[in-house]
Amino acid sequence: MENSSIVILDFGGQYTQLIARRIREQRVFSVVLPCTATPAEIRAHRPAGLILSGGPSSVYEPEAPAADPALLAMDLPILGICYGLQFIVHHLGGKVRPAPRREYGRAEVAVTAEGAGGPLFAGMPSTFTAWMSHGDEALELPPGFQRIAGTPQAVAAISDPSRAIWAVQFHPEVRHTDLGSQLLGNFLFSICRARPDWTPEHFIQTTVSRIAAQVGDGRAICALSGGVDSSVAAVLVARAIGDRLTCVFVNNGVLRKNEFLQVQRNLRDRLGLRLAGVDAGRRFLTRLGGVVDPEAKRKIIGNEFIAVFEEEARRIAAESPGGGVDWLVQGTLYPDVIESTSVKGPSQTIKSHHNVGGLPEKMNLKLIEPLRDLFKDEVRRIGRDLGMPEEILERQPFPGPGLAVRILGEVTQERVTLLQEADEIVVQEVKAAGLYRKIWQSFAVLLPVKSVGVMGDQRTYAYTCAIRAVHSDDGMTADWADLPGPLLRKISSRIVNEIHGINRVVYDITSKPPGTIEWE
Ligand code: XMP
């Protein structure tokens, strides 16, 4: 790994972690540092090259991020991206100005004669489509620089090969840029001479040793949900500190059928985690009695969860030799971290359902978030390398408030049991059809609507079940999935025949927006 990493300096761009990810995809280690990192801090990572990210500011404004121009003279190959290009131009004697017309979206980039023979565009066509997002442009290039690509509107790429400085105005890290990965690969391998020897195993090793050093002989707890993020985070931390990590898995009464036992079996018996299973189902259902408002249900479940977790954490602390738990492990992923932390400081905003409701402050716990730089598919890959079962890694997302947001109206034990049965049939059949991994989420919803049916010679009067299946990349938007007719037929017939209490099945054909994925 020595001298083969890439340091990315974060100027606050929304794509900074995407750059890191694209570099990891090419099996080169990369680390994101705040743009205020000093040359010495950068050198400590023994980089083979430096990337300056995009960012929302203007280089010529007083509130521009305070990066040290000395980092342009570190004798390291540099690639500036968007704001990174403007930073280079501004600090090496060129001129950056507001563009007469903002360029946003796809643009045609043409490589100039100077760029054509150079290493950055090697193997690429002389024109290609790239993703632009900038309000400023390079008006005059610094001495020694040449324009190596342009769009009809602006400078698209520049370089000073004698100083090994390269910069592009567009974003090679986004998929909308054709051959963006090839361009990044050219920078990594032809210009920086980095070695493609980084693997998830490296991530595991460095993360485990970092956590071990950080926690020392302290103790940690982790709230497990049974899903991929918290499970992978827990397994990583357990590698570092062994049974000084205790995981807590709470039965909130609205889990799936057999989930309370299955998750414990998977994580305790198969992965060897020290796990406290807390069966608080009755307590949650009592609190939910008579409540029909969706937000009220969510609040009750959230608050009750905190209460149960806190009690359990105190019990664990009291029983620990030496007493006390200092750390809370969370499976926060990069997409959960909404704001860029490195430029704006540690004011991290995390989706509320990931942050165990103010617990860290209340209990004076420090956070360990080993996955906060990664994307979901990278977490799955790491989980695979940790030897975790596919059953955990490929699980579809399941909401924290569980089946409660899929039971419309009051949540009762009877309704939970009905929905658990229906949910199990949907999951079994979608898996049997080979579609479980291809669909973002597929599940059943129980409606408090009774209708008349006939079974044999008997009139029935029972609940309705809705089937929901959606395709999505991140849960933010979704399309309803066109499940095959025979599969829907099988699900419907099994639910009505096997579940006493449901006599009608309907299919939800609403996308998000305007619908949400969950019904509540
Ligand atoms: P919606 O229903 O808002 O859901 O379209 C988007 C995604 O988020 C999941 N979801 C939750 N996950 N706690 C969670 O951990 C929650 O309170 C929660 N609510 C919704 C939902 O399953 C979907 O994947």
Side-chain angles (χ1 to χ4, degrees):
M1 224 159 61
E2 305 292 274
N3 290 331
S4 206
S5 69
I6 296 292
V7 169
I8 302 168
L9 290 186
D10 182 10
F11 286 89
Q14 53 178 328
Y15 302 129
T16 305
Q17 284 295 339
L18 203 50
I19 303 173
R21 180 215 169 105
R22 295 280 174 252
I23 291 173
R24 292 195 293 266
E25 278 174 3
Q26 311 220 26
R27 303 187 55 193
V28 172
F29 180 67
S30 70
V31 50
V32 176
L33 297 181
C35 60
T36 48
T38 62
E41 284 164 341
I42 294 169
R43 280 205 199 287
H45 292 271
R46 312 184 67 130
L50 193 59
I51 292 184
L52 313 182
S53 84
S57 319
S58 287
V59 267
Y60 45 78
E61 281 174 353
E63 61 270 27
D68 184 353
L71 57 88
L72 297 175
M74 286 178 63
D75 208 18
L76 275 177
I78 293 177
L79 176 67
I81 294 178
C82 194
Y83 183 90
L85 176 142
Q86 292 155 15
F87 181 86
I88 291 167
V89 170
H90 183 72
H91 288 289
L92 293 181
K95 257 197 195 132
V96 176
R97 288 289 173 267
R101 273 173 57 192
R102 275 179 55 96
E103 220 179 1
Y104 184 81
R106 288 187 172 78
E108 277 301 300
V109 171
V111 178
T112 63
E114 290 80 8
L120 194 63
F121 297 125
M124 294 176 62
S126 55
T127 61
F128 56 90
T129 304
W131 187 258
M132 289 281 193
S133 171
H134 64 113
D136 287 339
E137 66 174 2
L139 202 67
E140 277 171 31
L141 300 191
F145 275 79
Q146 54 190 6
R147 187 166 163 276
I148 56 171
T151 67
Q153 312 224 17
V155 168
I158 59 172
S159 76
D160 178 354
S162 69
R163 281 189 273 189
I165 299 182
W166 307 77
V168 292
Q169 183 59 68
F170 54 88
H171 290 273
E173 69 278 18
V174 307
R175 288 279 178 233
H176 307 292
T177 296
D178 293 347
L179 301 170
S181 289
Q182 170 147 7
L183 186 149
L184 287 174
N186 287 343
F187 176 69
L188 298 177
F189 304 120
S190 304
I191 297 174
C192 299
R193 310 231 166 258
R195 282 187 307 275
D197 58 2
W198 185 79
T199 60
E201 191 51 41
H202 282 116
F203 172 85
I204 295 171
Q205 282 166 8
T206 45
T207 308
V208 165
S209 34
R210 198 190 52 218
I211 295 170
Q214 205 177 14
V215 177
D217 56 7
R219 293 183 171 271
I221 47 172
C222 175
L224 277 181
S225 70
V228 50
D229 312 342
S230 61
S231 305
V232 173
V235 171
L236 270 173
V237 175
R239 281 246 176 135
I241 64 170
D243 64 4
R244 281 179 291 120
L245 168 70
T246 309
C247 299
V248 179
F249 180 53
V250 177
N251 180 8
N252 58 8
V254 282
L255 298 177
R256 293 168 169 192
K257 190 177 173 185
N258 297 330
E259 189 175 2
F260 186 54
L261 289 177
Q262 248 162 28
V263 167
Q264 293 185 68
R265 210 173 295 139
N266 267 332
L267 297 169
R268 182 192 293 137
D269 304 344
R270 291 173 70 176
L271 293 173
L273 291 182
R274 178 170 172 182
L275 178 65
V278 187
D279 194 351
R282 194 162 298 150
R283 178 168 162 180
F284 278 83
L285 287 182
T286 305
R287 292 258 192 277
L288 286 168
V291 178
V292 296
D293 177 65
E295 277 309 304
K297 287 185 193 173
R298 281 174 182 272
K299 275 211 185 84
I300 289 170
I301 294 173
N303 290 339
E304 206 55 26
F305 181 85
I306 290 171
V308 171
F309 188 77
E310 214 177 346
E311 284 166 25
E312 195 57 23
R314 291 199 198 294
R315 191 187 63 73
I316 292 164
E319 285 175 6
S320 302
V325 171
D326 331 278
W327 300 86
L328 177 72
V329 180
Q330 290 198 153
T332 316
L333 305 191
Y334 181 66
D336 304 324
V337 183
I338 297 162
E339 289 194 67
S340 165
T341 57
S342 16
V343 172
K344 294 177 187 153
S347 67
Q348 305 156 7
T349 314
I350 294 166
K351 269 192 207 167
S352 58
H353 64 261
H354 273 280
N355 206 337
V356 190
L359 256 189
E361 301 80 37
K362 208 164 149 191
M363 297 185 62
N364 210 9
L365 294 170
K366 292 170 273 186
L367 277 180
I368 308 178
E369 296 177 310
L371 310 176
R372 63 175 296 129
D373 292 339
L374 303 185
F375 292 79
K376 191 108 180 170
D377 54 325
E378 295 183 303
V379 171
R380 290 205 168 103
R381 219 171 311 139
I382 303 274
R384 237 162 248 138
D385 271 41
L386 286 166
M388 297 175 61
E390 286 299 308
E391 210 175 309
I392 298 178
L393 300 179
E394 291 296 343
R395 211 179 81 142
Q396 291 179 353
F398 186 64
L403 299 180
V405 292
R406 298 178 180 171
I407 294 173
L408 278 73
E410 188 185 357
V411 179
T412 62
Q413 183 59 60
E414 180 217 0
R415 290 178 176 181
V416 171
T417 307
L418 284 175
L419 186 56
Q420 282 177 333
E421 297 294 335
D423 174 74
E424 185 178 56
I425 291 173
V426 175
V427 171
Q428 275 175 359
E429 293 302 330
V430 170
K431 280 187 176 166
L435 294 174
Y436 186 78
R437 292 180 184 193
K438 296 186 181 140
I439 289 175
W440 173 261
Q441 275 172 296
S442 44
F443 55 88
V445 181
L446 189 72
L447 310 186
V449 175
K450 287 191 169 181
S451 72
V452 174
V454 56
M455 279 189 101
D457 291 331
Q458 294 280 318
R459 175 188 185 274
T460 58
Y461 186 56
Y463 287 123
T464 308
C465 168
I467 307 300
R468 179 105 169 111
V470 295
H471 292 296
S472 176
D473 286 330
D474 51 12
M476 304 297 287
T477 61
D479 269 340
W480 62 274
D482 200 357
L483 291 188
L487 171 60
L488 289 172
R489 195 176 291 279
K490 182 100 185 272
I491 290 174
S492 156
S493 114
R494 279 196 61 194
I495 288 178
V496 173
N497 283 303
E498 293 174 28
I499 306 175
H500 196 70
I502 298 179
N503 68 350
R504 193 173 292 273
V505 176
V506 297
Y507 192 49
D508 182 351
I509 50 167
T510 321
S511 290
K512 172 184 182 176
T516 49
I517 295 177
E518 304 294 343
W519 275 42
E520 287 196 337

